[in-house]
Amino acid sequence: MRIIRYVEGNGQPQSGVLADGSVYELVGGWENPSAGRRRAAEADIQLLNPCTPGIIICAGGNYRSQLAELGKPVPDEPPIFLKGINTLAGPGDAILHPRELDRLEYEGELAVVLGRTARNVRAADYRDYVLGYTCANDVTASNWRADGQWTRAKSLDTFCPMGPWIETGISGESLRLQTRLNSETVQDCQTSDMVFGVGELLEWITRWITLQPGDVLLTASPAGVGQMKPGDTVEVEVAGIGVLTNSVAWRT
């Protein structure tokens, strides 16, 4: 099932189910979603970021390929950090590049969307708490991270595009993740390369942080993180989900 957030014409954002070129009402909420009556044609809507989380929690340094690329050891525990919800952007939205920033980087990632309240999750039971998966770009102001300003580096407006939808009924354990910059493939890896899988991440995080339906876990980025500039187009594709496409523009 493909769960979306969208607007039709001048209407208000709402959630729905996308199937066979049509949008259907989302019934049953996040815990038991299903499709209701038909609401619109796909051609008549604009897709938005697919959920409105209260928390965006992120794993860092979680792909063996990236750790090897950077010459870093495999961590014993998952490094985690937060991004502000102001960072959310949707498919087709522009990623805004501050004029005073020297280097803006893409980080293609698999994003996990929670479907149930998650506290003290056991890794073996993680599927019971996951609504589905989507594509994400953990945009990073590289030189601001280097000076220790992680909140500023990770949480500027538009620094977390997600979409195009939430795909349910799939496993995130072995999916091909690719990032393309101006149609050139710059990241290409399987999610099985993660040091800590989705279950292990949720077990670690929910020991201390309770996650609610609609909250998002970013699972980190593989080797190939690089610079993007105004005028560029970046695509994050996860097999079985779809392609998230965003342009880069100067922040005014």
Side-chain angles (χ1 to χ4, degrees), residues 40-119:
E42 181 179 1
D44 294 334
I45 66 159
Q46 177 186 348
L47 290 173
L48 306 173
N49 51 290
C51 59
T52 54
I55 294 176
I56 306 170
I57 193 157
C58 314
N62 193 37
Y63 275 81
R64 292 175 177 85
S65 62
Q66 190 192 45
L67 293 167
E69 181 183 51
L70 299 175
K72 293 184 176 181
V74 174
D76 295 327
E77 298 174 340
I80 58 173
F81 60 93
L82 296 172
K83 291 176 81 83
I85 58 174
N86 63 294
T87 61
L88 289 168
D93 289 344
I95 298 167
L96 301 181
H97 190 309
R99 293 184 179 274
E100 62 271 38
L101 178 68
D102 294 332
R103 183 179 173 90
L104 185 68
E105 293 183 340
Y106 57 80
E107 295 189 26
E109 304 199 9
L110 175 70
V112 183
V113 182
L114 277 293
R116 292 174 52 193
T117 299
R119 183 173 183 270

Side-chain angles (χ1 to χ4, degrees), residues 220-242:
S221 194
V225 170
Q227 186 174 12
M228 54 185 177
K229 299 178 181 180
D232 288 343
T233 298
V234 60
E235 300 168 282
V236 179
E237 179 174 5
V238 180
I241 300 175

Side-chain angles (χ1 to χ4, degrees), residues 103-184:
R103 183 179 173 90
L104 185 68
E105 293 183 340
Y106 57 80
E107 295 189 26
E109 304 199 9
L110 175 70
V112 183
V113 182
L114 277 293
R116 292 174 52 193
T117 299
R119 183 173 183 270
N120 292 325
V121 171
R122 295 191 307 169
D125 299 331
Y126 83 91
R127 293 176 184 84
D128 295 339
Y129 298 87
V130 173
L131 170 67
Y133 299 88
T134 190
C135 309
N137 190 343
D138 177 17
V139 179
T140 304
S142 179
N143 46 299
W144 290 348
R145 175 179 56 187
D147 69 10
Q149 294 286 349
W150 271 69
T151 298
R152 182 173 62 157
K154 292 287 190 177
S155 287
L156 271 67
D157 296 347
T158 74
F159 272 26
C160 190
M162 293 198 307
W165 40 67
I166 301 166
E167 190 73 43
T168 69
I170 65 171
S171 170
E173 294 174 356
S174 186
L175 300 174
R176 187 181 183 185
L177 167 64
Q178 298 176 83
T179 304
R180 292 183 290 272
L181 185 68
N182 301 324
S183 300
E184 178 183 354

